[in-house]
Amino acid sequence: MRQKSIAVIIVAAGKGERAGGDPKQYQLVGGQPVLARTVESFLALPYVTSVTVVIHPEHEARYAALNLADERILNAVTGGVSRQASVLEGLKALAPSRPDLVLIQDAARPFATPEVIGDVVAVLEQYDGALPTLPVTDTIKRALDGRQVATTEDRSQLFAAQTPQGFRFGQIFSAHMRASTIRRQFTDDAEIAEWAGLRVAMVMGDRDNIKITHPEDFARAERILAGDNAMETRVGTGFDVHPFEPGDAVWLGGVKIAHDKKLKGHSDADVALHALTDAILGAIGEGDIGVHFPPSDMQWKGAASTVFLAHAGKLVLEAGGRIVNLDVTIVCEAPRIAAHVPAMRDVIGTVLGIATSRIAVKATTSEQLGFTGREEGIVAMASASVEMPRGD
């Protein structure tokens, strides 16, 4: 079987003014221009057939000064007045060779990993297009006037898009050509594909696959490059217990499980998520769940514990950290937990925006000893490993 040809278009035609100073794609990260790093991340992959860089017409000298040397790098292409127009110019340049697949990458994303790129390419065996995404962990509000909240979006259905975005060449070229004839600007190539009726799939993105846009993004990029030299792993533990009271279901790990009792507490009494939240907060030195959500505050009466977990995850991200792995043990005689573990891992992963492979949920009994053995309540213990910027 003939090996598919895979072309890459790197869009570097913007002025990059929001980053301050020189255009962001030519500024240095770790002593190397951002654009050079982006190009090299694709040249490192043997299955990439060609790389075409689309540049701003005023940046020809800057691009030439990069001295990018590889036989797979094609002549640079001058971009248009918008990102959409620039991508179309890149597609036009590739049209004579008609590659099987094309990957479209933002120049300002220098940290696309081989795993993310490979996942995008692999999905194109079944779909017309593919892009890496990350679950949205913040609550999203819609406001018609930019001030008053009109509605709250269902974040379980929201995902943040990254690049590279991959497509079958003929289909995305045709879609871009059609899109250029209407008075509408699309935010990315996947949106054009969706508009054209193509089937576009999502693969798991990478939190380090950042788009450098503002000056502070360069500091984060330096931390990513520094890796272990700039980051340290911290461990936190959590412990929680709730007694039973009359009811018909318990909440555990974000999953409602039918039972002849329920857990007593100010919120939904999800003992597993409470222990997990405390473990994350402990790892980053942010106290415990009671500090952030005091039981004396009636707004948390009956609240879903996923709210508490999401808050802890947000604090990790705001501090420049990432969750490495989580481990929860639930101790009870009943209800039976094993059948619900996959759903619990899915809930936790979605709330925190991490892969379920980083989450362990286990259950055990106390061999009918103590208050759990007498089925008076449930205990949960948790640990969290969190990678954080190295401090003093």
Side-chain angles (χ1 to χ4, degrees):
M1 181 181 295
R2 181 182 68 87
Q3 184 175 357
K4 285 184 170 63
S5 55
I6 303 175
V8 178
I9 295 174
I10 296 178
V11 190
K15 288 190 174 182
E17 295 172 334
R18 284 181 291 176
D22 291 335
K24 61 186 178 184
Q25 59 268 47
Y26 298 101
Q27 291 189 43
L28 301 182
V29 170
Q32 186 177 15
V34 170
L35 177 54
R37 286 190 176 277
T38 303
V39 171
E40 289 181 2
S41 67
F42 288 90
L43 292 177
L45 304 173
Y47 56 78
V48 167
T49 308
S50 68
V51 174
T52 298
V53 181
V54 184
I55 65 173
H56 191 280
E58 298 175 4
H59 296 167
E60 291 184 2
R62 291 180 181 272
Y63 178 71
L66 297 179
N67 293 317
L68 300 174
D70 190 289
E71 61 182 11
R72 291 176 292 169
I73 300 178
L74 306 182
N75 292 333
V77 174
T78 300
V81 297
S82 66
R83 183 190 184 281
Q84 180 179 329
S86 295
V87 172
L88 180 55
E89 292 303 314
L91 292 168
K92 288 178 178 177
L94 289 174
S97 61
R98 289 194 74 82
D100 297 306
L101 307 177
V102 61
L103 303 177
I104 303 172
Q105 170 75 354
D106 294 327
R109 288 190 191 270
F111 302 127
T113 64
E115 291 77 18
V116 168
I117 300 169
D119 286 348
V120 169
V121 171
V123 169
L124 294 178
E125 291 289 337
Q126 298 175 300
Y127 289 86
D128 305 317
L131 75 158
T133 65
L134 290 174
V136 172
T137 56
D138 289 335
T139 297
I140 304 298
K141 304 291 184 181
R142 183 185 296 275
L144 302 180
D145 60 1
R147 292 178 60 84
Q148 181 174 327
V149 174
T151 187
T152 299
E153 303 291 346
D154 181 359
R155 68 180 176 196
S156 69
Q157 300 179 20
L158 300 177
F159 298 83
Q162 299 182 335
T163 63
Q165 298 183 1
F167 308 91
R168 297 170 184 172
F169 178 80
Q171 291 177 322
I172 195 62
F173 186 25
S174 174
H176 256 281
M177 290 293 289
R178 289 167 53 199
S180 69
T181 65
I182 66 173
R183 298 182 63 180
R184 173 182 169 185
Q185 283 296 310
F186 295 83
T187 57
D188 66 0
D189 307 291
E191 187 185 9
I192 291 178
E194 297 153 24
W195 167 79
L198 302 181
R199 298 176 308 127
V200 181
M202 299 186 300
V203 302
M204 180 57 71
D206 188 323
R207 295 206 176 276
D208 286 344
N209 186 21
I210 63 170
K211 184 177 182 181
I212 297 175
T213 303
H214 301 105
E216 58 267 27
D217 295 331
F218 282 93
R220 183 178 174 191
E222 294 288 355
R223 291 199 300 269
I224 292 171
L225 283 175
D228 291 340
N229 293 326
M231 305 293 284
E232 62 185 12
T233 299
R234 303 180 186 178
V235 177
T237 60
F239 177 91
D240 197 37
V241 55
H242 282 275
F244 282 125
E245 65 178 7
D248 59 4
V250 296
W251 282 95
L252 287 173
V255 176
K256 190 175 185 179
I257 303 172
H259 191 46
D260 59 2
K261 305 179 186 70
K262 70 174 183 177
L263 289 171
K264 182 180 180 180
H266 184 65
S267 62
D268 63 5
D270 190 326
V271 64
L273 293 192
H274 290 184
L276 190 55
T277 300
D278 270 351
I280 296 172
L281 293 173
I284 62 175
E286 286 288 346
D288 61 23
I289 197 170
V291 172
H292 298 267
F293 304 96
S296 58
D297 190 338
M298 292 307 296
Q299 70 173 306
W300 309 121
K301 179 69 175 177
S305 296
T306 50
V307 173
F308 311 152
L309 184 64
H311 176 72
K314 182 180 178 182
L315 292 179
V316 173
L317 292 177
E318 289 177 346
R322 73 180 186 96
I323 295 172
V324 177
N325 78 288
L326 304 170
D327 189 4
V328 186
T329 300
I330 301 168
V331 184
C332 63
E333 299 294 327
R336 294 295 182 182
I337 305 299
H340 305 285
V341 166
M344 293 181 189
R345 295 174 71 206
D346 285 341
V347 169
I348 296 167
T350 298
V351 169
L352 295 174
I354 63 175
T356 55
S357 61
R358 297 183 179 273
I359 303 164
V361 177
K362 309 186 300 293
T364 187
T365 71
S366 57
E367 300 294 340
Q368 299 183 336
L369 298 175
F371 76 94
T372 56
R374 295 189 298 271
E375 299 189 35
E376 296 173 1
I378 298 179
V379 165
M381 299 170 287
S383 64
S385 297
V386 178
E387 197 172 60
M388 295 284 287
R390 189 179 297 278
D392 296 335

